[in-house]
Amino acid sequence: MRKTLLFLFIFTLISTNGFSQESELSVEKIMQDPAWMGTFPENIKWGYDSQNIYFDYNPEANPGDSLYKINIQNKSKIQKVSLEERREIIPSAGDLNKKRTKKLIIENENLAIADLKSSEITQLVDLSEKIEDPRFMADENLMTFTSGNNAYLFNYKKARLDQLTKIERGNKKEEKTEDASEKDAWVKKENLELLGVVRERKTKKEETEAHRKAVAEKEDFTFYLEDRSISNLQVAPNAKYATFNLITRKPGKSTEVPNYVDESGYTVNLPARSKVGDDETTVELAIYNFEKDTVFMVDTETLPGLEDLPDYTEDYPERDWEEMEREVIPSGTYFSENGEKAVVNIRSKDNKDRWIAAIDLESGKLRSLDRQRDEAWIAGPGVGYTYYGGGTFGWLPDNKHIYFQSEETGYSHLYLLNVDTGNKKALTSGEFEVFDPELSNDNKNWFLTTSEVGPGERHFYKMPLMGGKMEKLTQMPGNNEVYLSPDEKYMAIRHSYSNQPWELYLKRTRSNSKAEKLTAGQSEEFSSYSWRVPEMIEFQAEDGAMVPARLYKPEADVKNDAAVVFVHGAGYLQNVHKWWSSYFREYMFHNLLTDLGYTVIDIDYRGSAGYGRDWRTGIYRHMGGKDLSDQVDGVKYLIENHDINPDKVGIYGGSYGGFITLMGMFNEPETFKAGAALRSVTDWAHYNHGYTSNILNEPSKDPIAYRRSSPIYFAEGLEGDLLIAHGMLDVNVHFQDVVRLAQRLIELEKDNWEMAVYPVEDHGFVEPSSWTDEYKRILKLFNESLLD
């Protein structure tokens, strides 16, 4: 990149001619429509007869019809599912009975029941409003569903439908009473005293109204939502209670994203999110008692530690941090199978506490069963990543034990807790993580995925209900996404390896059986290239931590002593692993760079997923701290071990990777001579609330964290060559971010940067032409800045 001229908007095509390196690959080839790579299975699901595996495949490139199947009795034949057969497939959503022979489903917005053996579907209830969330009660002749804002009970034997709740929008209409003025009140009093007949009629009218009210039937109770919305409405399995969340939203000021290329020919503003700190949502948990015909709120004030101040307040001694009850967000209720017990998962709104509490359904009082506190933020596999919770949670059939996941030990593991005694037991333990545990059909075992073999692999296991030795059911290295057949005799496995995209396999559900490959979707063009298996390495960071990375090494005869550091996006994401990367374009680009002589390193820096709580929270209150120093230490490793010229190192990445690229170019100019920052956050105070407030708290409460974490404050440090690329329709990281940074760089009189804008692209690019243009610019940047 020449440093004599500033280009704010560049639309010219860039050629890489003039460089002697050669490769079978090109930017145009690897950034074209991904269909060139082949056809790979997605959205795997079984038929209820456990004989057919359905999946999206689409070798015919039909935009609206991509469902295929394989029958396990004829595994060599991939069949397209006919439209008629598609209509007969029982939906995956719904509720199974205990014997797993029938399923409550929604068909054409009506309540229906499906016989899983015969595939016969019987319509049960047709309402004018949409029906949702069908469930069997403890007595399976009783079924509930929601419609509008209310819950209904259907008695299958009696063919009777009852409305259980009466919840209405808005406010109760009060009887109007006229407030008389002092003058009018005096006139009325005098009139009644003077005119006896009028006085008698008034008295008689009042007596009649009083008698009517005394003998009238009690008016049905109605609960009014007022200015709130409702969610998670569900009926207890014994049909005695319902619970629901009441949400009050006070929307913050939102940013509008201008669309300059709208089909109308006019500039149209796209609605987008508000900024961090603009969340005034409150959530309450309500109990509807059917016997008492009333609604009351769950009392969260007794939760332990509700007034605890976070540690970061110690950095602001000049402030008067008043002790007060923190706001909390309760989830929906989890009822035991008999409906007699209920628990709720509650998060503090600052996301530093999670309580699991038992609910007294008669009083709404809570009894804390488990509290997990994290001075950074609560998250992790199976735990949920925002204060709205989610993750692994449920009851065992004994109506005594609940199960959940927690990072209590530093890694996310599976726990049981007896709600009567409070005793808690860890079912798994060790320096690995657990994913997606589920109970077996007979409720005697768990099926679960873990990273026990290593953080770069995923395998599927079977484990006794109350814990014990885990039986490993998959053997193929890489990632094994397992879909159990309904009878649990077979596993459909979606598997991939570092240099092999996803394919479908079939295996019996036991450790000693062999997986059979069912699909082979790679195109001839894609498979003709020898895609590299990156070397999995570790290097030591400045604080002694061992940092995982993937390394791409060129052949000695083309090695140019230059290195490129790739920074994955999302922050909490893992890219150092042995399966096909979601960053497949970047993976192919790294193969191209390696062909051209570059050494490429791809690092799972601090904040990445897959390595437990301490790694996840290593960026707390300082993004661009350890996550950036890990990149710098990776470069030192390359210089010391792979003969990289310290003056020939570039860095690039998108989203969070773009943010780190900017921080690297501004704060480590002696390390990085060129950088490409794609769709990058430039000021965290302008990003969203759910993600940012976890890591940096709120700007008004913790400004120190935002100032040391936002690239815009460090722009004066730019020395190397910088390319900024951003989609103008980005409703995630707004185009405003780079516009503000551009003005900052102009005011600082920096002249070694340029910007490429993409008028039709959102945060994730869609058009192959945009991908191609962007990566040609990145390649040109590295070739000119690192090789000249």
Side-chain angles (χ1 to χ4, degrees):
M1 183 184 295
R2 306 305 179 193
K3 302 182 182 180
T4 57
L5 194 59
L6 169 65
F7 291 93
L8 286 181
F9 301 101
I10 308 171
F11 296 99
T12 56
L13 290 177
I14 298 173
S15 171
T16 59
N17 292 340
F19 298 95
S20 59
Q21 303 100 318
E22 292 183 0
S23 172
E24 298 174 40
L25 302 176
S26 67
V27 172
E28 291 86 352
K29 183 174 184 176
I30 61 181
M31 296 296 162
Q32 64 183 303
D33 188 318
W36 82 274
M37 299 160 53
T39 302
F40 307 105
E42 296 179 334
N43 302 321
I44 317 299
K45 51 185 173 290
W46 281 88
Y48 286 102
D49 59 1
S50 296
Q51 294 298 303
N52 293 296
I53 306 170
Y54 295 92
F55 53 99
D56 291 336
Y57 202 53
N58 204 11
E60 299 174 358
N62 188 322
D65 186 12
S66 62
L67 188 63
Y68 285 73
K69 72 175 182 180
I70 294 176
N71 186 286
I72 62 173
Q73 305 303 324
N74 186 11
K75 297 185 286 289
S76 62
K77 186 177 181 181
I78 302 176
Q79 299 173 277
K80 188 171 184 177
V81 178
S82 67
L83 184 59
E84 182 180 354
E85 184 177 352
R86 289 181 67 147
R87 290 172 178 160
E88 294 176 355
I89 295 175
I90 297 171
S92 55
D95 191 35
L96 289 167
N97 65 351
K98 291 184 179 66
K99 292 182 178 180
R100 308 178 77 84
T101 57
K102 297 184 183 297
K103 187 171 191 177
L104 274 182
I105 61 171
I106 302 298
E107 186 177 63
N108 299 322
E109 299 189 354
N110 300 326
L111 180 69
I113 190 167
D115 185 301
L116 300 184
K117 186 174 182 181
S118 66
S119 296
E120 182 181 349
I121 296 176
T122 304
Q123 297 287 328
L124 300 178
V125 177
D126 179 6
L127 294 181
S128 58
E129 283 191 285
K130 182 179 179 182
I131 291 175
E132 298 177 298
D133 196 23
R135 297 188 184 187
F136 284 103
M137 295 286 93
D139 176 353
E140 292 186 341
N141 287 307
L142 302 178
M143 307 157 186
T144 64
F145 61 87
T146 62
S147 183
N149 290 322
N150 285 287
Y152 294 79
L153 181 70
F154 179 72
N155 188 313
Y156 184 72
K157 277 189 175 180
K158 297 179 180 179
R160 173 179 169 177
L161 179 66
D162 292 302
Q163 182 174 333
L164 294 175
T165 63
K166 192 174 182 183
I167 301 172
E168 293 187 5
R169 295 185 178 91
N171 298 285
K172 182 178 181 179
K173 295 178 182 178
E174 302 290 345
E175 293 183 9
K176 291 184 178 180
T177 58
E178 296 181 4
D179 295 328
S181 66
E182 185 177 351
K183 177 194 68 128
D184 291 343
W186 184 87
V187 170
K188 180 178 180 180
K189 177 175 177 292
E190 287 295 303
N191 190 52
L192 289 171
E193 288 179 356
L194 290 169
L195 305 176
V197 172
V198 174
R199 186 169 61 250
E200 290 172 4
R201 288 179 178 178
K202 177 179 182 294
T203 302
K204 190 172 183 179
K205 179 181 177 183
E206 289 174 346
E207 290 174 349
T208 301
E209 180 64 19
H211 176 74
R212 184 189 67 78
K213 288 183 177 180
V215 300
E217 292 185 8
K218 182 183 176 183
E219 183 181 351
D220 287 341
F221 170 76
T222 301
F223 181 79
Y224 292 92
L225 293 175
E226 299 172 347
D227 59 349
R228 300 164 295 189
S229 60
I230 186 173
S231 70
N232 297 323
L233 173 60
Q234 54 187 313
V235 178
N238 59 9
K240 292 182 178 180
Y241 309 91
T243 61
F244 53 94
N245 290 117
L246 290 167
I247 304 171
T248 305
R249 290 187 174 92
K250 296 180 181 178
K253 185 177 181 180
S254 296
T255 300
E256 291 182 335
V257 175
N259 178 4
Y260 294 101
V261 290
D262 185 76
E263 63 181 28
S264 67
Y266 290 85
T267 299
V268 175
N269 287 328
L270 304 177
R273 56 169 174 77
S274 58
K275 301 182 190 296
V276 58
D278 280 342
D279 183 9
E280 297 186 49
T281 302
T282 59
V283 181
E284 301 169 277
L285 180 60
I287 300 174
Y288 204 125
N289 186 312
F290 299 142
E291 183 179 345
K292 296 179 179 178
D293 197 21
T294 189
V295 170
F296 50 92
M297 300 301 145
V298 169
D299 180 10
T300 61
E301 293 181 358
T302 59
L303 292 171
L306 200 56
E307 296 183 353
D308 290 356
L309 288 173
D311 286 354
Y312 76 81
T313 57
E314 297 173 0
D315 282 356
Y316 301 93
E318 72 284 358
R319 292 193 188 181
D320 182 17
W321 293 95
E322 180 183 355
E323 286 194 5
M324 58 184 295
E325 291 181 358
R326 287 174 292 152
E327 291 186 70
V328 297
I329 305 288
S331 70
T333 302
Y334 298 86
F335 290 104
S336 60
E337 287 192 7
N338 60 14
E340 295 176 1
K341 299 174 184 177
V343 294
V344 60
N345 187 339
I346 302 172
R347 304 281 275 263
S348 60
K349 203 170 177 184
D350 64 10
N351 211 11
K352 298 187 187 300
D353 277 285
R354 179 189 72 173
W355 297 269
I356 297 171
I359 308 172
D360 185 326
L361 292 167
E362 285 294 318
S363 68
K365 292 182 179 179
L366 296 177
R367 175 168 54 91
S368 181
L369 299 171
D370 185 76
R371 178 191 180 192
Q372 183 184 337
R373 169 78 174 182
D374 196 314
E375 282 298 337
W377 74 98
I378 300 288
V383 180
Y385 298 96
T386 71
Y387 50 70
Y388 286 105
T392 300
F393 209 97
W395 284 85
L396 295 191
D398 64 3
N399 296 301
K400 293 181 180 180
H401 290 89
I402 57 172
Y403 60 86
F404 58 92
Q405 285 185 245
S406 171
E407 278 191 327
E408 178 181 320
T409 65
Y411 291 84
S412 183
H413 284 289
L414 181 62
Y415 291 81
L416 290 183
L417 189 148
N418 187 310
V419 297
D420 296 330
T421 66
N423 292 334
K424 183 170 66 173
K425 178 183 180 181
L427 299 185
T428 60
S429 62
E431 294 187 359
F432 63 90
E433 295 181 317
V434 168
F435 308 89
D436 305 319
E438 58 178 309
L439 289 167
S440 61
N441 291 345
D442 60 9
N443 295 314
K444 294 181 180 180
N445 294 283
W446 292 98
F447 290 106
L448 64 161
T449 298
T450 86
S451 57
E452 185 177 21
V453 168
E457 291 198 46
R458 296 285 187 272
H459 285 282
F460 195 66
Y461 296 82
K462 185 177 182 180
M463 179 180 68
L465 181 66
M466 304 306 288
K469 185 178 179 180
M470 294 194 299
E471 179 186 7
K472 185 167 171 280
L473 299 176
T474 55
Q475 284 78 38
M476 296 181 289
N479 194 347
N480 296 269
E481 294 181 358
V482 174
Y483 303 84
L484 279 170
S485 61
D487 62 11
E488 298 180 349
K489 294 180 180 179
Y490 288 93
M491 302 183 297
I493 305 172
R494 187 170 174 259
H495 173 268
S496 72
Y497 193 62
S498 303
N499 64 342
Q500 299 288 326
W502 300 94
E503 300 289 2
L504 186 60
Y505 292 76
L506 179 68
K507 185 180 184 296
R508 288 192 175 273
T509 310
R510 54 179 185 239
S511 57
N512 58 359
S513 64
K514 184 178 179 181
E516 299 178 70
K517 190 174 183 180
L518 303 181
T519 63
Q522 291 187 31
S523 68
E524 184 177 345
E525 184 181 13
F526 180 82
S527 60
S528 65
Y529 179 83
S530 182
W531 300 101
R532 292 172 175 81
V533 175
E535 182 182 348
M536 305 276 283
I537 66 163
E538 285 186 330
F539 59 84
Q540 189 169 25
E542 61 182 7
D543 63 355
M546 298 305 297
V547 182
R550 302 209 299 185
L551 183 65
Y552 300 77
K553 295 187 296 186
E555 298 295 329
D557 59 340
V558 299
K559 187 173 183 294
N560 57 23
D561 299 333
V564 170
V565 178
F566 170 65
V567 190
H568 68 68
Y572 192 70
L573 180 144
Q574 184 178 4
N575 205 44
V576 179
H577 50 60
K578 295 180 181 178
W579 61 86
W580 186 248
S581 176
S582 58
Y583 287 94
F584 61 90
R585 291 183 181 88
E586 289 78 0
Y587 165 77
M588 292 188 287
F589 184 59
H590 298 161
N591 276 265
L592 169 60
L593 287 174
T594 309
D595 286 348
L596 299 178
Y598 290 92
T599 301
V600 181
I601 192 168
D602 169 7
I603 300 169
D604 270 349
Y605 49 86
R606 241 65 69 93
S608 297
Y611 308 95
R613 181 265 171 197
D614 290 349
W615 205 263
R616 174 178 66 78
T617 62
I619 57 174
Y620 178 58
R621 299 191 68 217
H622 192 182
M623 300 157 89
K626 289 182 179 179
D627 44 357
L628 175 59
S629 64
D630 285 346
Q631 317 296 332
V632 175
D633 291 333
V635 173
K636 292 177 181 176
Y637 163 82
L638 294 180
I639 293 169
E640 294 170 4
N641 296 276
H642 294 279
D643 298 322
I644 295 302
N645 185 331
D647 294 324
K648 299 169 69 173
V649 179
I651 184 172
Y652 89 102
S655 195
Y656 198 98
F659 150 71
I660 288 291
T661 296
L662 291 175
M663 290 295 266
M665 295 299 293
F666 296 164
N667 289 335
E668 296 289 341
E670 69 282 358
T671 302
F672 302 108
K673 300 304 182 289
L678 323 174
R679 51 193 179 278
S680 49
V681 175
T682 68
D683 187 342
W684 286 109
H686 289 253
Y687 197 51
N688 69 28
H689 185 85
Y691 177 85
T692 318
S693 64
N694 278 344
I695 305 172
L696 301 180
N697 304 306
E698 293 187 24
S700 61
K701 296 177 180 178
D702 195 1
I704 292 172
Y706 282 81
R707 282 188 170 271
R708 66 187 175 199
S709 300
S710 297
I712 199 166
Y713 291 104
F714 304 100
E716 67 274 9
L718 178 63
E719 295 179 11
D721 298 328
L722 174 64
L723 168 66
I724 300 170
H726 213 103
M728 296 179 74
L729 303 185
D730 195 333
V731 295
N732 180 12
V733 180
H734 300 154
F735 186 61
Q736 180 192 34
D737 264 50
V738 292
V739 172
R740 294 177 68 240
L741 179 61
Q743 180 59 30
R744 180 77 179 130
L745 292 169
I746 290 168
E747 292 177 8
L748 290 167
E749 299 182 354
K750 298 293 183 180
D751 62 1
N752 52 337
W753 63 280
E754 52 192 36
M755 184 184 293
V757 300
Y758 296 88
V760 301
E761 297 295 356
D762 196 345
H763 194 62
F765 283 14
V766 174
E767 301 299 327
S769 57
S770 300
W771 282 106
T772 300
D773 181 87
E774 183 178 54
Y775 275 79
K776 286 174 76 173
R777 296 181 191 282
I778 297 169
L779 182 57
K780 181 176 186 290
L781 168 73
F782 292 148
N783 282 342
E784 292 191 352
S785 297
L786 305 181
L787 301 185
D788 271 2

